Each structure stands twice: as structure tokens, then as C-alpha cells.
Amino acid sequence: MIWMILLGICSGMLVTLSRQLNGRLALSTSAMQSSFWNHFVGFAVLVPCALIAGSLWPSEAATAHWFAWVGGAIGVIFVAGGSWLIPRLGAALTGGLLVAGQMLSSVALDLLRGVDAMLSLQLAGVVLILFGVYLSRRA
Amino acid sequence: MAASTTISEGPRRPHPLEICAALCAGALLTLMLLSNGMMAAHTTPIFASLTAHGVGSVVAALLLLVFWIRWPARRRGASGRAPIWAYLGGISGALTVIISTVVVNSSLALTGTMALGLAGQVVLALLFDCFGALGLERRLPRRNDLLALASIIVGTLLIIFARGNAG
């Protein structure tokens, strides 16, 4: 259990590490180039992983919904955005505001899809997040 | 971009455009996770990450090509070379997928994985800022930065646990 907790913390730290490295690369190149290298190097690492885990092309892949294929294209903009922001806002504020945008949009998505899991608690969370975003603007 | 002219003047207030960009990028992350999650459920998490990175490489390459053809004058050259390690962000990105797949399938489940991931992400980001790690500018967080972060984190935890209890 303790190992799983440490791994969980590690996975979050890797997100920050990746954003910091991409941000450094963007300083010498551009945000979009850092996004390209992030995806390209990640792909090169994942090919052997996929081979070890099974195959490069599971048979179900052919029948996947089109939306399942566009995540990578969305990710290109997301990573480029992170690389653009991190030299401007710093790692902590960049991470915090990205999480804020992620949570606000996912609550909105849940509402649209009619999932109302403990709605009052979620709305309290939304208010706190909005307050946090407001605070980040104040000197 | 006007924002880049004030960078080295110590702590400054984030520009509304930057805040807006960060919130929109966060919303893109929601869509990306939805898409990748769909692929992972249909096939395997590793294949989902592999396709996301493959599709992402092609799309980014095409966008770069378009930029270079349309605006050849903006090709960079003299702004210094990036160290080799700066190209390795993709490794930790790929590792994240594999590690979080393992943790999600443990007794920590999705709620625990998200909460711990958030903690790790913020703690390391604060350390990076305080030390100016990996070639980025050193900046001590202002009091309001910390309050803003705390408020966002508590709000996020409320949402994560509300969902966890309902599921």
C-alpha cells in the first residue's frame, strides 16, 4: 500500500517534471516544437512498452469510435500551452490554473451529461476554485 | 507578445490572457482524458497512450510545417541551443501513463490516484519554482500565489471525493 501511495505521488511529480523540461526546451525553440518532441520521444518510449505488453495493434483498435483517436491532437495544443505558460507564470501557478480549468470543465461536462454525484459538494469545490483563480490575479 | 517584456522584473500579476489560456488548456485536458479514456477502455491503456503520442507527433509536425511555410522569417536560430535533457519531457509523460494505470487498479482507485497525483504535482512545482530548477527562472511564490493554490487544491479535492463517494 505504501508503495502504491508513493507511486501515486510519483505520477504527479512526473507531470510537473515533464512540463518543466518542455518549458525549458521551448525557451530555446518554440512551444510547438517542445510539444512535437514531447509526443515524438514519448512515442519512441511507448513502442517497446506496447510490444512487451502485447501488440502494437490490438484487434479492437479498428472499431474504436473516432473521438477515441483525437486525444493526441488535443494533447498537442495542451502541451504547447503548458510550455508557453510555464516561463510566464512559474511551475506552481501554471499547474494550479491548469488543474482549475480541468476541474471546472469536467464539472460542466458532468452537468451536461446528467451525472450529479453529490452536486452540492462539487459546487462548493467550483466556488473555491474560482476564488483561487481570482486570488492569483491579485498582487 | 506584450507579456514577454516584463519577465525578469520579479513577481508580477499574471495577465488575464495567460489565466484564460491556462483555464482553456485545462479544459482541453478534460477532453483529451475523455478521448484517451475511451481508447483505453476499448483497447488497452498502453495502446491508448501510444496512439495519442503517435497522432500527436504527426499533428505537431504538420502544424510546424505550416508555420514554417507561412512564416519563414520567424525560424529561430540564434536564441541558444537547448540542452539534450530538455528533449526528454516525453519520457516522463509516457511513464506517467503507465504508473497511473498501475495505481488506478490498486485499492487507491481513481479518487486516490487523482488526489495523490495532485499532491505530487503541486509539491514538486513549488520546489522547482523556489530553486529555479532545470533552466527556468527562480521565483519565490507570493503569499497570494500560495493562497490561490491552496484554494484551488481544496476545491479540487472536494470535487474528486464527491465523485469518489458517489461512484
Side-chain angles (χ1 to χ4, degrees):
Chain A
M1 187 64 184
I2 183 76
W3 288 110
M4 280 300 158
I5 292 176
L6 288 177
L7 270 184
I9 294 173
C10 246
S11 77
M13 289 184 159
L14 285 171
V15 171
T16 296
L17 176 64
S18 157
R19 200 173 290 140
Q20 193 89 354
L21 290 170
N22 288 329
R24 173 63 190 86
L25 179 57
L27 281 184
S28 300
T29 57
S30 70
M32 190 52 77
Q33 285 186 59
S34 81
S35 184
F36 168 76
W37 286 109
N38 176 76
H39 285 85
F40 189 72
V41 171
F43 184 75
V45 170
L46 283 162
V47 165
C49 294
L51 281 174
I52 292 167
S55 77
L56 281 182
W57 187 260
S59 53
E60 301 87 358
T63 58
H65 190 267
W66 67 267
F67 184 70
W69 288 97
V70 301
I74 302 172
V76 167
I77 311 296
F78 173 73
V79 174
S83 294
W84 184 79
L85 286 165
I86 202 167
R88 290 172 168 78
L89 301 181
L93 209 52
T94 299
L97 288 173
L98 287 175
V99 169
Q102 183 194 353
M103 295 321 288
L104 294 175
S105 58
S106 67
V107 170
L109 195 70
D110 273 6
L111 286 176
L112 283 177
R113 298 200 296 183
V115 187
D116 55 343
M118 297 180 74
L119 194 61
S120 53
L121 203 54
Q122 290 207 48
L123 290 182
V126 167
V127 171
L128 273 173
I129 291 173
L130 288 174
F131 181 63
V133 173
Y134 163 77
L135 275 182
S136 74
R137 263 293 285 156
R138 293 175 56 89
Chain B
M1 209 39 73
S4 63
T5 55
T6 53
I7 274 182
S8 56
E9 290 174 10
R12 64 177 182 90
R13 288 162 52 165
H15 194 275
L17 179 73
E18 292 162 354
I19 293 186
C20 190
L23 294 178
C24 290
L28 284 180
L29 181 61
T30 298
L31 290 179
M32 186 188 93
L33 292 177
L34 200 65
S35 169
N36 291 350
M38 196 184 242
M39 185 60 98
H42 195 73
T43 59
T44 65
I46 289 195
F47 180 73
S49 184
L50 181 76
T51 46
H53 282 84
V55 170
S57 301
V58 174
V59 170
L62 288 176
L63 286 175
L64 284 173
L65 195 67
V66 171
F67 289 159
W68 280 341
I69 291 171
R70 297 266 337 239
W71 297 285
R74 283 201 204 164
R75 282 179 205 181
R76 302 283 191 94
S79 59
R81 289 187 90 111
I84 269 295
W85 49 258
Y87 287 86
L88 302 183
I91 296 181
S92 63
L95 270 180
T96 309
V97 178
I98 294 168
I99 292 182
S100 53
T101 306
V102 173
V103 182
V104 162
N105 289 309
S106 76
S107 56
L108 290 169
L110 186 61
T111 310
T113 308
M114 289 186 74
L116 290 170
L118 179 69
Q121 190 178 330
V122 172
V123 168
L124 190 63
L126 282 171
L127 284 174
F128 276 174
D129 277 348
C130 290
F131 291 103
L134 300 174
L136 291 189
E137 192 189 351
R138 177 169 183 256
R139 57 175 79 210
L140 294 174
R142 304 165 305 165
R143 189 181 60 105
N144 265 356
D145 289 343
L146 294 176
L147 288 176
L149 270 182
S151 187
I152 291 172
I153 291 167
V154 174
T156 300
L157 289 177
L158 280 183
I159 294 172
I160 291 175
F161 285 111
R163 286 182 180 155
N165 284 337

